[in-house]
Amino acid sequence: MNSKQPIPFISSSSHFHFLFYALVIFLAFNNISASYSGGNETDYHALLNIRSLITKDPYGALTSWNNSLYFCDWAGITCGKRHRRVTSLRLLSQGLEGFLSPHLGNLSFLRVLVLYNNSFQGAIPHEVGRLSKLRLLSLYNNKFNAVIPVKISGCSNLEKLDLSNNELVGSIPKEISFLSKLTFLSLGSNKLTSGIPSFLGNLTLMEKFGVVNNPLGGSIPDTLGYWKNLKLFDAGILT
Ligand SMILES: *[C@@H]1O[C@H](CO)[C@@H](O)[C@H](O)[C@H]1NC(C)=O
Ligand SMILES: *[C@@H]1O[C@H](CO)[C@@H](O)[C@H](O)[C@H]1NC(C)=O
Ligand SMILES: *[C@@H]1O[C@H](CO)[C@@H](O)[C@H](O)[C@H]1NC(C)=O
Ligand SMILES: *[C@@H]1O[C@H](CO)[C@@H](O)[C@H](O)[C@H]1NC(C)=O
Ligand SMILES: *[C@@H]1O[C@H](CO)[C@@H](O)[C@H](O)[C@H]1NC(C)=O
Ligand SMILES: *[C@@H]1O[C@H](CO)[C@@H](O)[C@H](O)[C@H]1NC(C)=O
């Protein structure tokens, strides 16, 4: 119980061993954590999951997505300078094939998502609606072949949405009309049906709107007359 008594069994040599192992453990831990140190582990895991659902990468666009680099330095990734969260994911024209991971919704600081001209298929995950800071979502020229997720209304800061040239089915969800900052909406060349919803008239900042090449049917609703900033309207044949 006498705290002044020296601890008897630690020699200077075991001190040395202790320090040596502590250093090894420190270095090993440093290596393992290199890919997310200083950033957010959630972003790192989301990116790994996104990578895991990409089945073909013909030009090696994701070669740098490995643990020798910090994830903010991976190709196509931009992080905020201060908080080191992913703010932009841009992988365009890379011939990527596969599915878009729902873990995308965990990149909660994402402002720009650009994956146009690849071969993503399946659904645009509804978790995209968790990206409340997203301003630009560009997925044109892919093979998405499900419905437009109604949860997209959660992207309350979205300014530009381009889903043209896919195989999207179903109707244009009226939830798109909650995206009050939208200035650009392009849904051309899909398989959308059930007309242009009149609620879209609520998007009063609309500048460019395209729905050409869809079997939409119906007529152009009067409410689109609220679009005072309109510069381009491309509805093509609505039948
Ligand atoms: C740390 O990583 C480098 C390169 O990836 C490797 O050469 C080295 O052996 C690693 N060190 C430890 C302690 O794991
Ligand atoms: C990482 O981000 C998630 C989601 O925004 C948050 O819940 C978590 O607390 C963050 N972790 C750190 C270490 O910042
Ligand atoms: C990891 O990324 C670096 C940087 O792009 C690259 O030079 C290296 O070949 C990659 N390693 C693997 C195993 O792909
Ligand atoms: C689309 O991507 C391919 C590479 O996969 C490229 O060769 C082609 O030029 C791109 N097309 C456009 C319109 O950007
Ligand atoms: C990320 O997203 C997925 C799917 O949306 C979820 O299952 C997971 O718990 C989320 N959180 C983290 C920290 O990975
Ligand atoms: C659109 O605006 C009208 C009134 O201007 C409102 O009643 C309606 O709920 C709004 N709809 C949507 C889907 O935002």
Side-chain angles (χ1 to χ4, degrees):
M1 293 302 281
N2 186 347
S3 59
K4 281 175 194 157
Q5 190 137 356
I7 303 164
F9 296 114
I10 293 185
S11 65
S12 61
S13 127
S14 52
H15 258 121
F16 172 77
H17 280 119
F18 173 76
L19 287 173
F20 177 76
Y21 287 121
L23 186 65
V24 168
I25 287 164
F26 174 78
L27 287 177
F29 179 76
N30 245 15
N31 259 19
I32 292 160
S33 61
S35 31
Y36 54 76
S37 62
N40 187 299
E41 215 174 315
T42 306
D43 283 359
Y44 171 68
H45 288 295
L47 293 175
L48 287 186
N49 199 274
I50 288 167
R51 188 187 65 182
S52 74
L53 294 189
I54 295 173
T55 48
K56 281 201 182 140
D57 176 13
Y59 311 120
L62 303 178
T63 305
S64 65
W65 288 39
N66 68 54
N67 283 342
S68 72
L69 283 184
Y70 174 41
F71 69 79
C72 288
D73 297 324
W74 290 354
I77 302 294
T78 309
C79 289
K81 281 196 173 65
R82 191 177 44 81
H83 52 61
R84 308 309 282 161
R85 301 293 306 265
V86 176
T87 54
S88 163
L89 170 49
R90 296 171 64 95
L91 291 168
L92 46 112
S93 299
Q94 294 299 329
L96 301 175
E97 285 181 32
F99 296 88
L100 190 51
S101 164
H103 286 236
L104 180 75
N106 292 345
L107 298 173
S108 38
F109 281 64
L110 203 63
R111 287 201 294 261
V112 172
L113 177 57
V114 174
L115 298 173
Y116 70 73
N117 193 27
N118 285 293
S119 293
F120 284 97
Q121 56 171 304
I124 298 167
H126 65 77
E127 287 81 357
V128 76
R130 295 171 57 195
L131 302 174
S132 60
K133 293 187 197 292
L134 199 64
R135 291 185 195 158
L136 168 62
L137 176 56
S138 178
L139 303 177
Y140 74 86
N141 255 350
N142 275 283
K143 298 195 163 98
F144 288 109
N145 53 0
V147 298
I148 299 173
V150 297
K151 293 245 170 91
I152 199 152
S153 56
C155 303
S156 51
N157 280 295
L158 203 59
E159 291 165 11
K160 292 185 179 171
L161 175 59
D162 195 343
L163 305 178
S164 59
N165 270 296
N166 278 284
E167 293 159 26
L168 297 168
V169 296
S171 56
I172 300 174
K174 74 168 192 299
E175 284 77 5
I176 283 190
S177 60
F178 295 140
L179 302 173
S180 60
K181 296 188 177 171
L182 215 56
T183 61
F184 180 107
L185 176 59
S186 180
L187 302 172
S189 298
N190 279 291
K191 296 175 179 168
L192 299 169
T193 54
S194 312
I196 299 176
S198 58
F199 279 138
L200 289 187
N202 289 21
L203 298 173
T204 51
L205 300 179
M206 188 66 73
E207 290 173 16
K208 294 181 180 175
F209 176 76
V211 286
V212 70
N213 257 326
N214 279 287
L216 275 168
S219 56
I220 296 169
D222 296 344
T223 52
L224 302 197
Y226 295 128
W227 291 354
K228 300 298 182 205
N229 297 324
L230 196 65
K231 291 174 189 144
L232 182 82
F233 184 88
D234 189 4
I237 303 160
L238 293 177
T239 52

